[in-house]
Amino acid sequence: MHWSEEIATQIIKNSPNKEEYVCAAGISPSGSVHIGNFRDIATSYFVCRALRKMGKKAKLLFSWDEYDRLRKVPVNVAEITEGFEKYIGVPYADVPDPYGCCESYAKHFENEFEKSLARFGIEVDFRYQAKEYRSGRYTEYIIKALKERKQIFDILDSFRTQEATADERENYYPINIYCPQCKKDETKIVSLNEDCTKAHFVCKCGYEGEFDFTQNYNCKLAWKIDWPMRWKVEGVDFEPGGKDHASPTGSFQTSRIIADKIFGYKAPMFQAYEFIGIKGTTGKMSGSSGLNLTPETLLKLYQPELILWLYSKTEPTKAFDFCFSDEILRQYFEYDKMQAQIYDGTANEYIESIMFNTTVKDRKPELVPMAQLVSFGSIVDFNADMLETIFTKIGTPFTKEQFAERLSLAKYWLEQCSPESMNKLLTYHNWNYYDTMTQEEKDEIELLRQYLVKGEFNLNELQTFLYDIPCDVRGEMDDKTKKAVQGKFFKNVYQLTIGKERGPRLYLFLYAIDKNAIANLLDFSGEREEMPIVEEVNEEEIFANDVAPIKEEIQLDAFQKIDMRVCKIIACEDVKKSKNFLKLTLNDGIGTRTIMSTIKGEYTPEELIGKKIIVIANLAPHKFSGVMSEGMLIAATHDSCGCKVIFVDDSVPEGTPIA
């Protein structure tokens, strides 16, 4: 049974007679929605589909928390506008769009995400919280929370380690009023009338006034009260959240009690999920280029079905990676293998349950091997007609209509993420490499050239001949020697044709590409032409800086006082007004901690989230750029490579000591 079906079964068990089940998700439009946040909606979407599969009526409810305050200005926003900090404290729905194309800041990022959702075929019942609050829909619950404010305080206080004072309890109000003058939530309630419908408040801007909760709706409940209130209003049965919400002192545990004690509603079934990682470098897709790791960005690399497949096949409590390295080709291969079993009817129940969640209305993915599109696409400069001819030659006659979508994705990946994987026929004879070859190796190349010129062979005959060439030149060899010689022969062919040690499968490559062009590159019988000028790299200059001397010797007991342990980066963000610092939130196996590190010029936050690192955990806390840092990460620094963080294999648990 698929994990979403297990959750759906429990939901039905919890409320067997409910007419319609509600699966919820929600995100604050604080900026472009990161692909990690997409797990929130994907998890609910799969559970919703599982309920429908079981014959139940269910809807996917998505809340835009656009009534939250602007807390910080994202880097990409700060790059295009100045002075945007003046809107900090204003609800996202009231902040102007920095790009000038939408009615508000919130609407800009909402439209961006909703557009990408449509490509997944995900139908959503949206809730825009600024509209919901300002309609007066939540008024009775706001007044209820005000009446029960001391009980709410006690619930919140029970999760704190520091003891609260009587004054704190007396002056606690679970609501934020947005000032009618400055539009910010920097207000303070001074007094509340007996029936909790009217309050007197003051604002930092100097404004002072009365607020009638029965008529004025320009206010918002604090998060841990707002969340359970909306469960009650919408009748939510299921909602996932990041694993930080599920911790013993996390938001869900607090809100669960508030839902029960204050609003008389049993909290929905909750599923914590792991964070998403990024594997491989993003090449040109750097933070400075303005390309964010949003669903829309990933759709330039992955088909929507493949993105859904990655979420579907991985249980929420387990992490997985989106790959910018050539591992993306392995992901396509594995997806194609499962989808092919669906198409031919050989899939087992487990595979069927995974692939059920990947279907997108009015689409049927063509399973053209992505590895071949990458290998051959760049050789023919992504010419669809030539590529169609190649596929016909090698016995897989895919049409350009069939591979059009994937060819575009392959081209984008090669150009933006892995330009070194491009395969291009050389435009010159590689004399420099040819001169390094032995006479026997040169004879092998000449034998291949003559065979290609003859041109009377099929694909199988070519494959057999390639493996036989070394034996034809050198005579019989033992298996171990033969394999080594064959490997070197293949390497020589690649070097003389595409200037690399590896390339597409050689027999397919030689059969598919113009034989005359290949034969010409292997012909070294003519006069030696001038080689292209390649600027030589002076390695001595690159590594000119001296190796640092060994520091003063220490005793073993001094080293043992250093507590180094493995930590996982669960959040990472730029530090306002700092050119060097990144703020990292870590899971150290016991709880969470914050460290500051001057690696802003080396890594983007997206590259670090989900990675495991080594941290000195018992270093005395120190404040940097106004933030208290609770440790120091281990990194290596050299002029040739800059500062590189030491990453740890993902299989090592958080909290593991380094000894």
Side-chain angles (χ1 to χ4, degrees), residues 221-337:
L221 288 169
W223 160 241
K224 293 180 182 178
I225 301 91
D226 169 78
W227 197 17
M229 178 272 292
R230 286 191 272 139
W231 292 339
K232 166 77 171 181
V233 173
E234 301 289 359
V236 176
D237 299 285
F238 172 74
E239 184 163 3
K243 64 179 182 180
D244 51 331
H245 289 307
S247 68
T249 58
S251 300
F252 178 75
Q253 301 302 331
T254 309
S255 298
R256 176 179 60 82
I257 297 174
I258 291 174
D260 179 34
K261 302 294 186 183
I262 306 302
F263 299 115
Y265 187 78
K266 183 180 179 181
M269 186 174 175
F270 181 79
Q271 176 61 61
Y273 55 76
E274 256 290 357
F275 298 100
I276 305 301
I278 300 295
K279 183 170 287 186
T281 59
T282 56
K284 294 182 182 179
M285 294 176 63
S286 63
S288 61
S289 71
L291 287 169
N292 298 310
L293 295 180
T294 63
E296 187 64 30
T297 298
L298 285 184
L299 285 167
K300 296 176 181 178
L301 298 166
Y302 290 90
Q303 289 175 289
E305 292 84 1
L306 197 77
I307 294 176
L308 292 173
W309 173 75
L310 285 167
Y311 285 106
S312 179
K313 79 183 185 74
T314 312
E315 293 183 10
T317 54
K318 296 180 180 178
F320 69 86
D321 296 314
F322 283 101
C323 298
F324 295 96
S325 65
D326 59 8
E327 283 196 40
I328 192 174
L329 304 180
R330 175 185 56 79
Q331 291 176 331
Y332 268 97
F333 176 79
E334 291 179 1
Y335 166 81
D336 286 359
K337 186 177 179 181

Side-chain angles (χ1 to χ4, degrees), residues 373-384:
L373 288 169
V374 165
S375 296
F376 294 126
S378 55
I379 288 177
V380 298
D381 199 25
F382 304 101
N383 183 299

Side-chain angles (χ1 to χ4, degrees), residues 53-68:
K53 188 179 180 181
M54 295 174 181
K56 302 298 182 180
K57 186 177 180 182
K59 70 177 178 181
L60 179 59
L61 183 74
F62 185 89
S63 286
W64 280 115
D65 292 327
E66 59 179 13
Y67 213 34
D68 289 352

Side-chain angles (χ1 to χ4, degrees), residues 593-612:
R593 66 171 59 219
T594 299
I595 67 169
M596 299 282 282
S597 183
T598 55
I599 54 174
K600 191 171 184 176
E602 304 289 340
Y603 299 91
T604 64
E606 292 80 9
E607 290 178 286
L608 295 173
I609 294 172
K611 297 290 177 59
K612 291 185 178 179

Side-chain angles (χ1 to χ4, degrees), residues 5 7 81 92 159 163 197 203 262 292 301 305 327 344 360 397 449 468 506 523 579 613 622 652:
E5 295 171 335
I7 294 173
T81 184
Y92 293 117
F159 286 86
E163 189 173 343
T197 58
C203 182
I262 306 302
N292 298 310
L301 298 166
E305 292 84 1
E327 283 196 40
D344 64 23
V360 178
R449 187 192 70 79
D468 288 344
L506 191 58
D523 185 1
K579 295 181 179 180
I613 60 175
H622 190 84
V652 182

Side-chain angles (χ1 to χ4, degrees), residues 38 41-42 45 60 117-124 126 308 360:
F38 189 75
I41 195 167
Y45 173 57
L60 179 59
L117 272 188
R119 293 189 59 186
F120 293 94
I122 300 177
E123 296 181 356
V124 182
F126 286 107
L308 292 173
V360 178

Side-chain angles (χ1 to χ4, degrees), residues 101-157:
C101 57
C102 296
E103 61 191 70
S104 69
Y105 182 101
K107 188 56 66 177
H108 179 92
F109 295 111
E110 289 166 0
N111 288 350
E112 181 181 81
F113 185 65
E114 289 176 19
K115 180 182 175 183
S116 66
L117 272 188
R119 293 189 59 186
F120 293 94
I122 300 177
E123 296 181 356
V124 182
D125 190 353
F126 286 107
R127 292 287 185 274
Y128 301 91
Q129 289 306 318
K131 178 181 177 182
E132 297 300 318
Y133 266 97
R134 287 170 173 169
S135 71
R137 185 184 184 195
Y138 301 147
T139 297
E140 65 173 290
Y141 302 100
I142 291 172
I143 295 173
K144 172 71 172 175
L146 288 168
K147 289 179 178 179
E148 304 291 344
R149 63 190 180 91
K150 292 183 179 179
Q151 186 179 355
I152 292 174
F153 180 88
D154 292 339
I155 294 170
L156 296 173
D157 189 53

Side-chain angles (χ1 to χ4, degrees), residues 1-16 21 47 50-51 54 269:
M1 182 180 286
H2 190 261
W3 58 261
S4 64
E5 295 171 335
E6 293 176 353
I7 294 173
T9 299
Q10 186 60 49
I11 291 171
I12 296 171
K13 183 178 179 180
N14 293 343
S15 304
Y21 295 96
V47 172
L51 286 165
M54 295 174 181
M269 186 174 175

